[in-house]
Amino acid sequence: MVSETSDAQGGEQTALALKILVAGGFGVGKTTLVGAVSEIRPLRTEELLSEAGQLVDDTDGVDQKVTTTVAMDFGRITIRSGLSLYLFGTPGQDRFWFLWDELSQGALGAVVLADTRRLEDCFPAVDYFEHRHIPFVVAVNCFTGARTYGAQDVSRALDLDRGTPVVLCDARDRDSGKEVLIRLVEYAGRMHTARLLDSVG
């Protein structure tokens, strides 16, 4: 999405707004990340976990979680003058994946949040973006008490394509989340440029 605003000299200054998805497994910190970095009050579509949901929502390892996103989270952050990111947090459970195709339309790239205690939960998100050729970074949310693994270890465990960035982060911390987003924008920019050059080569 591109919009133009006039500057003081009467010229045109282009302001760029990019769409970013924040994905990952159930309870990995997607809503927390969007809320931490957003400069506006984030839109959330959370509902209380119910007894009926216990049959389909695996809360093992996230026992303290009492709500879940049922549609999406939305936030906005300005990275620098003229560049803003619109953040769309996806729901983590399988039964809400029908929303992913709609949310991914027009996205520059995605952040796949991972929890090393439940690393397998982010496999579906990794597969989704790899098969659709949407650039993504894996951001390992470093939960208190969880064993720390290096980026290379996580990359091997997820069998990521060569060059896919893996970064460690704290989803609660604005600066940490912003660094993840900057890394994604840089990586996605390189990927899109390479594809453009390939298409005209």
Side-chain angles (χ1 to χ4, degrees):
M1 181 188 311
V2 176
S3 60
E4 292 186 345
T5 55
S6 298
D7 62 22
Q9 285 73 38
E12 293 293 332
Q13 179 182 1
T14 301
L16 187 61
L18 304 174
K19 182 179 184 181
I20 301 294
L21 300 186
V22 180
F26 176 66
V28 77
K30 300 178 296 293
T31 298
T32 300
L33 177 65
V34 172
V37 301
S38 181
E39 62 198 16
I40 62 171
R41 183 177 179 182
L43 168 67
R44 294 179 172 150
T45 56
E46 288 196 305
E47 295 292 339
L48 290 172
L49 291 172
S50 65
E51 289 186 14
Q54 290 177 356
L55 300 175
V56 289
D57 294 332
D58 179 12
T59 58
D60 185 39
V62 286
D63 303 359
Q64 304 302 312
K65 187 172 176 60
V66 295
T67 62
T68 185
T69 299
V70 296
M72 67 173 187
D73 300 310
F74 174 77
R76 185 190 72 209
I77 179 174
T78 301
I79 296 296
R80 57 173 170 75
S81 178
L83 176 60
S84 296
L85 304 182
Y86 289 166
L87 308 175
F88 291 81
T90 65
Q93 301 98 307
D94 297 9
R95 67 184 188 277
F96 295 125
W97 281 357
F98 68 92
L99 294 169
W100 284 39
D101 287 337
E102 290 293 329
L103 290 174
S104 64
Q105 291 294 320
L108 174 78
V111 173
V112 176
L113 272 177
D115 178 352
T116 56
R117 300 168 302 179
R118 297 158 50 106
L119 198 58
E120 67 280 0
D121 288 1
C122 71
F123 285 171
V126 168
D127 288 343
Y128 181 91
F129 297 121
E130 282 184 345
H131 287 124
R132 287 160 180 78
H133 306 290
I134 297 174
F136 68 94
V137 301
V138 173
V140 179
N141 192 6
C142 298
F143 287 90
T144 302
R147 182 177 171 186
T148 302
Y149 293 87
Q152 290 297 328
D153 294 329
V154 173
S155 182
R156 281 193 296 269
L158 294 176
D159 193 25
L160 298 177
D161 290 341
R162 185 176 178 182
T164 302
V166 176
V167 295
L168 306 182
C169 75
D170 181 344
R172 302 165 298 180
D173 182 77
R174 177 180 171 83
D175 290 337
S176 181
K178 187 174 180 180
E179 285 301 315
V180 170
L181 296 172
I182 291 172
R183 185 79 176 272
L184 171 62
V185 170
E186 292 173 345
Y187 175 65
R190 292 195 302 271
M191 293 293 289
H192 285 294
T193 299
R195 290 172 187 170
L196 181 60
L197 292 175
D198 286 343
S199 69
V200 298

